[in-house]
Amino acid sequence: MFSRRDALKLSAVAGVGMVLPAQQLASALSDDPPVVTPFSVPLPIPPVLRPVTSSRSADHYEMVVTPATARIFPGLDTRVLTFNGSFPGPTIRSRRGRAAIVKVTNKMSTPAAVHLHGANVAPESDGHPLDTIDPGASRLYHYPNSQPAATLWYHDHAHHVEAEQVYRGLTGAYLISDSETDALRLPSGEFDIPLVIRDAQFDGDGQLVWKLDDFANRKTVLVNGAIQPTHKVKRRKYRLRLINAANSRPLRLALNPASEVIQIASDGGLLGRPVARPEVELWPAERAEIVIDFSKFPSGSNVILENTFNGPETPGRQLLRFEVTGSVVADDSVVPAKLRDLEDLGTPTVTRRIVLARDPTNTFYAIDGKAYDPKRIDLTVKRGTTELWEVVNDDGQYNFPHSIHLHLVQFRVLERAGQPVGEWEAYPKDTARVPAGQTVKILVKFDSEFTGVYPFHCHFFDHSSMAMMANMQVLP
Ligand code: C2O
Ligand code: CU
Ligand code: CU
């Protein structure tokens, strides 16, 4: 389609009366984003947020939610939404047993709700879609950090606009550590790096293009806010915390040249034991911690982290380059053969079937045939009980993928399509992929001390923003 904008561009090009090389002419006529030379920018590491004060039992933080600009393309300012001006937001590093109290001030013109994804929190700190911070207002979120060490992330959750606000930048990593995990001596410090991965569509001016449910056109993938960054690594082990912060893009992460990575953790923390894997599949909101031992690659070599989800044609396939430098260095970090014990969730006393499907009118996405009403309670559960949820993707005919995410608790994935899952999925998780036409069984124990109303939803934000969400009430 030839738009007015294209016409203006064409007349501008024609008006100067010069002959442009075919390629330049093509880019002047298209809305393709500016070109970034692959692997020309260093991998940004989001800043670690410092507490403003600390008491014996808690750290107090302050964040503002604010529009800002990010330098994604050389010489261009891209308008984004941020926590504290950082795209993605700053990393919060907290410790099990020490609460984090975060004061958030909303400097946007729209409401914000901050949700700490994967966390055990009271309902008033959960960022429920209607429990928002008005423009200009502030509120305190209280995170008890009572759960085991894990890679969590925080993001906006304001009703109906979370997909856009997350897309524009409202995400950040939140890492909980604990003494049991410290004792394992996994790679730490500068060798422990969060990688927040998401996709986007940019226009010819390097600005974000937002269109709900337009996953197919988000062809640029960003790692920690940069396009195809590069990172110099020493020849030793690194712990990478992978967070899929994309609205709708599944990732299947692999190294090129092909080499196994060691997965040590998923959403809810450590696996029972490390698992060597040729690739790690990570759908929106899922996390995986992997260890890569770069001592096995020669000095001077490049190792590329790729997304192979859609095969060789995957848009933005090459995500990040590691430049392996120097000789093998002393490395006292270890990946022990055993990481942690799995607690038994008991036998389910309630079985439910949860159906994820596009509404037949094709105007929204539904859970059990209903569009999300943030004021409606869709189901009640009793604190302390174990339930079996059979989550059905009933969109096989359209080939639509979905997923299931529960606030408040970590569950176990038992089986998908009738088959037991790989052990990397059998550990505590808060988000499980539910591919088109598939049924996934999860075992949920409502073992939190908190009760109240919490959402559960598909974590394709394009879908949850289009009503694929529901409320559960945890009763005492
Ligand atoms: Cu990532 Cu309702 O959450
Ligand atoms: Cu969540
Ligand atoms: Cu969905």
Side-chain angles (χ1 to χ4, degrees):
M1 272 256 232
F2 198 72
S3 67
R4 185 169 163 271
R5 183 174 166 174
D6 291 331
L8 287 172
K9 277 184 182 168
L10 183 62
S11 63
V13 167
V16 295
M18 58 180 196
V19 181
L20 287 172
Q23 209 189 333
Q24 233 176 301
L25 180 65
S27 90
L29 288 177
S30 79
D31 278 334
D32 286 349
V35 172
V36 175
T37 311
F39 315 123
S40 63
V41 294
L43 172 73
I45 310 283
V48 173
L49 191 66
R50 298 284 160 216
V52 286
T53 56
S54 290
S55 67
R56 227 164 34 112
S57 58
D59 295 311
H60 297 255
Y61 296 93
E62 286 180 8
M63 289 206 287
V64 290
V65 181
T66 181
T69 58
R71 188 49 61 91
I72 299 167
F73 299 96
L76 289 176
D77 284 329
T78 302
R79 291 183 297 278
V80 293
L81 297 177
T82 66
F83 290 97
N84 284 6
S86 174
F87 177 83
T91 301
I92 298 180
R93 284 186 174 267
S94 59
R95 188 133 184 106
R96 186 176 193 184
R98 275 188 77 70
I101 296 162
V102 186
K103 180 181 177 188
V104 181
T105 303
N106 181 4
K107 294 195 172 164
M108 306 189 298
S109 55
T110 50
V114 182
H115 170 58
L116 181 54
H117 179 119
N120 174 41
V121 299
E124 58 273 19
S125 285
D126 191 49
H128 188 275
L130 291 185
D131 194 7
T132 53
I133 316 170
D134 284 336
S138 302
R139 74 175 290 167
L140 293 180
Y141 291 94
H142 187 285
Y143 303 132
N145 297 320
S146 54
Q147 65 203 84
T151 297
L152 311 182
W153 64 302
Y154 59 92
H155 58 75
D156 182 63
H157 218 307
H159 183 46
H160 222 62
V161 292
E162 79 273 22
E164 176 171 0
Q165 297 193 152
V166 165
Y167 178 85
R168 294 195 182 279
L170 295 185
T171 64
Y174 186 105
L175 316 178
I176 303 179
S177 63
D178 63 19
S179 48
E180 289 85 344
T181 309
D182 287 355
L184 300 176
R185 302 207 347 263
L186 295 160
S188 62
E190 63 173 300
F191 309 110
D192 172 2
I193 303 174
L195 297 177
V196 182
I197 306 173
R198 51 83 46 97
D199 60 357
Q201 182 188 358
F202 294 97
D203 67 15
D205 303 320
Q207 300 304 323
L208 285 165
V209 177
W210 167 248
K211 219 175 133 200
L212 187 62
D213 212 17
D214 189 26
F215 158 75
N217 282 311
R218 299 177 196 147
K219 293 181 179 163
T220 303
V221 182
L222 305 163
V223 182
N224 291 348
I227 298 170
Q228 294 188 310
T230 186
H231 192 61
K232 283 197 172 55
V233 291
K234 297 194 171 125
R235 294 179 64 201
R236 52 154 293 149
K237 291 189 282 306
Y238 280 71
R239 175 185 188 179
L240 303 177
R241 300 169 184 259
L242 308 167
I243 302 173
N244 184 339
N247 281 35
S248 293
R249 178 174 296 279
L251 301 169
R252 187 175 295 141
L253 299 165
L255 298 180
N256 181 3
S259 180
E260 284 185 331
V261 301
I262 310 294
Q263 185 174 348
I264 56 168
S266 69
D267 304 346
L270 293 173
L271 306 179
R273 60 178 193 103
V275 186
R277 303 184 65 191
E279 56 189 24
V280 174
E281 192 157 333
L282 219 53
W283 283 29
E286 289 188 295
R287 287 89 68 208
E289 293 179 30
I290 59 172
V291 172
I292 301 178
D293 189 349
F294 288 103
S295 70
K296 66 185 174 185
F297 299 103
S299 182
S301 62
N302 290 323
V303 179
I304 297 178
L305 181 70
E306 297 190 333
N307 174 25
T308 64
F309 190 81
N310 300 96
E313 296 308 312
T314 307
R317 174 180 171 123
Q318 301 203 314
L319 304 178
L320 164 65
R321 182 173 80 182
F322 297 104
E323 292 171 51
V324 184
T325 55
S327 45
V328 173
V329 297
D331 180 0
D332 60 4
S333 71
V334 287
V335 180
K338 183 176 170 205
L339 297 168
R340 74 157 151 169
D341 285 322
L342 190 59
E343 150 222 7
D344 186 7
L345 295 191
T347 323
T349 50
V350 176
T351 299
R352 300 178 195 272
R353 193 179 143 89
I354 306 285
V355 179
L356 308 172
R358 193 170 75 162
D359 177 76
T361 64
N362 195 14
T363 49
F364 62 93
Y365 291 93
I367 294 184
D368 292 336
K370 284 176 288 185
Y372 184 47
D373 173 352
K375 296 201 180 107
R376 185 183 65 217
I377 305 296
D378 294 284
L379 58 88
T380 57
V381 302
K382 202 166 156 35
R383 188 169 76 88
T385 55
T386 300
E387 300 198 353
L388 179 72
W389 287 24
E390 298 180 0
V391 186
V392 181
N393 178 324
D394 205 11
D395 272 338
Q397 53 182 327
Y398 307 115
N399 205 23
F400 284 166
H402 296 297
S403 65
I404 184 77
H405 166 55
L406 273 67
H407 286 214
L408 185 67
V409 286
Q410 296 285 333
F411 54 76
R412 310 283 163 74
V413 186
L414 297 180
E415 55 180 60
R416 42 179 73 252
Q419 299 299 314
V421 296
E423 62 177 300
W424 55 88
E425 260 200 305
Y427 274 80
K429 280 187 64 65
D430 51 56
T431 308
R433 60 197 161 90
V434 189
Q438 205 176 79
T439 295
V440 175
K441 288 190 186 168
I442 63 172
L443 189 66
V444 195
K445 183 170 184 191
F446 294 92
D447 50 4
S448 170
E449 66 272 39
F450 299 114
T451 56
V453 177
Y454 294 88
F456 63 95
H457 53 93
C458 174
H459 217 293
F460 286 62
F461 278 127
D462 291 292
H463 300 178
S464 60
S465 257
M466 289 168 76
M468 196 171 249
M469 178 138 57
N471 286 325
M472 61 182 180
Q473 182 171 17
V474 184
L475 300 170

